[in-house]
């Protein structure tokens, strides 16, 4: 299968169970809660379709700021990962948001989620602007990331930068890594701008630069 065979369009109400099925594959907490019901009257769900099969989707909601949208969930079928579907969804959701008057995007990603961070920071030009502790469970943190859709992705490193090492296999960050990221981002004004691979290991570092 080639990504050129994938088409993207918004989901209809009757297709929501397929979206929930995708969320169950990646163990999102809200999807496992039977009370969670996506509401198309307050959000957009953009699906990636292989013929009539939903192989990926992203849910977006309007922010209270009229120019901003919040990415709630992004999911790709477990058997279809690594084929460019996630990248396609990122590109198409940004095009959709620009066409609908949204020029800024906000989301949250786990700081141990290397593949997502690599896509958002290194490929799509997002920056990490806030460290959020204990979002779902104690010790399970999130990194708030955002992007201005009108500003080109700047790959030039800034002069004042720091590096924090993250162990990718560990779902919960070490206390020292958590404290360092929280202090640098929330108190000192640094922003996460890049994920740097540490050789061939599963570990990586996050580069932070003064905002």
């Amino acid at each position: 299968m080639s990504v050129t065979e994938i088409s993207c369009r918004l989901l209809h109400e009757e297709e929501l169970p397929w979206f929930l099925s995708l969320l169950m594959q990646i163990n999102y907490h809200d999807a496992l809660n039977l009370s969670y019901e996506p509401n198309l009257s307050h959000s957009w769900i953009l699906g990636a379709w292989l013929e009539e099969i939903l192989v990926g989707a992203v849910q977006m909601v309007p922010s209270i700021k009229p120019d901003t949208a919040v990415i709630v969930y992004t999911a790709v079928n477990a058997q279809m990962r690594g084929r460019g579907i996630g990248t396609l969804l990122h590109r198409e959701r940004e095009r959709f948001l620009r066409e609908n008057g949204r020029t800024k995007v906000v989301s949250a990603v786990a700081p141990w989620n290397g593949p997502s961070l690599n896509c958002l920071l290194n490929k799509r030009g997002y920056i990490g602007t806030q460290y959020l502790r204990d979002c779902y469970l104690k010790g399970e943190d999130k990194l708030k990331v955002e992007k201005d859709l009108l500003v080109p992705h700047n790959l030039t490193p800034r002069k004042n930068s720091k590096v924090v090492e993250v162990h990718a296999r560990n779902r919960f960050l070490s206390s020292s890594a958590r404290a360092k990221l929280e202090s640098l981002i929330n108190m000192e004004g640094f922003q996460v701008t890049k994920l740097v691979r540490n050789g061939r290991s599963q570990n990586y570092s996050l580069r932070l630069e003064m905002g």
Side-chain angles (χ1 to χ4, degrees):
M1 184 221 78
S2 168
V3 72
T4 58
E5 301 175 52
I6 304 295
S7 60
C8 292
R9 65 166 174 79
L10 294 177
L11 267 69
H12 304 302
E13 195 77 34
E14 63 272 15
E15 295 166 336
L16 289 179
W18 292 9
F19 175 62
L20 284 172
S21 178
L22 280 180
L23 295 187
M24 294 286 281
Q25 290 182 22
I26 49 181
N27 199 30
Y28 274 127
H29 297 278
D30 284 345
L32 298 177
N33 183 342
L34 295 179
S35 64
Y36 175 69
E37 295 182 3
N39 189 337
L40 291 184
S41 64
H42 298 95
S43 69
W44 307 286
I45 301 179
L46 182 67
W49 300 84
L50 178 59
E51 297 181 348
E52 297 300 318
I53 300 174
L54 183 68
V55 293
V58 54
Q59 183 181 16
M60 306 161 282
V61 298
S63 167
I64 57 174
K65 299 179 180 179
D67 64 344
T68 303
V70 178
I71 307 302
V72 183
Y73 295 122
T74 301
V76 175
N77 184 293
Q79 297 179 343
M80 302 293 287
R81 293 172 191 164
R83 306 188 188 192
I85 296 172
T87 300
L88 175 65
L89 280 170
H90 282 299
R91 185 172 66 246
E92 288 300 307
R93 81 183 180 195
E94 291 178 9
R95 181 185 62 78
F96 171 83
L97 291 173
R98 282 193 298 267
E99 290 176 353
N100 285 273
R102 307 284 167 167
T103 58
K104 295 182 180 178
V105 188
V106 176
S107 188
V109 61
W112 48 261
N113 190 340
S116 291
L117 287 171
N118 180 57
C119 179
L120 293 171
L121 300 175
N122 296 2
K123 299 178 180 179
R124 304 305 304 173
Y126 285 71
I127 56 173
T129 58
Q130 186 178 2
Y131 193 83
L132 308 169
R133 273 188 179 250
D134 304 324
C135 287
Y136 293 113
L137 303 172
K138 186 174 179 58
E140 187 169 340
D141 304 342
K142 295 287 185 181
L143 177 66
K144 178 184 175 182
V145 297
E146 53 187 271
K147 179 178 181 179
D148 188 331
L149 299 180
L150 300 181
V151 176
H153 185 192
N154 184 7
L155 297 174
T156 305
R158 303 168 196 164
K159 291 183 179 180
N160 190 3
S161 65
K162 296 183 181 293
V163 172
V164 177
E165 185 174 354
V166 175
H167 297 282
R169 292 181 178 178
N170 188 1
R171 186 179 177 90
F172 299 95
L173 295 190
S174 67
S175 57
S176 60
R178 295 179 79 202
K180 191 171 184 179
L181 285 170
E182 186 174 37
S183 175
L184 288 171
I185 299 170
N186 297 358
M187 301 176 189
E188 299 183 40
F190 280 82
Q191 297 175 339
V192 183
T193 59
K194 187 176 179 63
L195 178 144
V196 181
R197 296 288 182 189
N198 296 344
R200 296 184 178 181
S201 73
Q202 292 287 329
N203 300 334
Y204 55 85
S205 298
L206 295 177
R207 188 174 73 197
L208 297 91
E209 302 174 352
M210 184 61 72

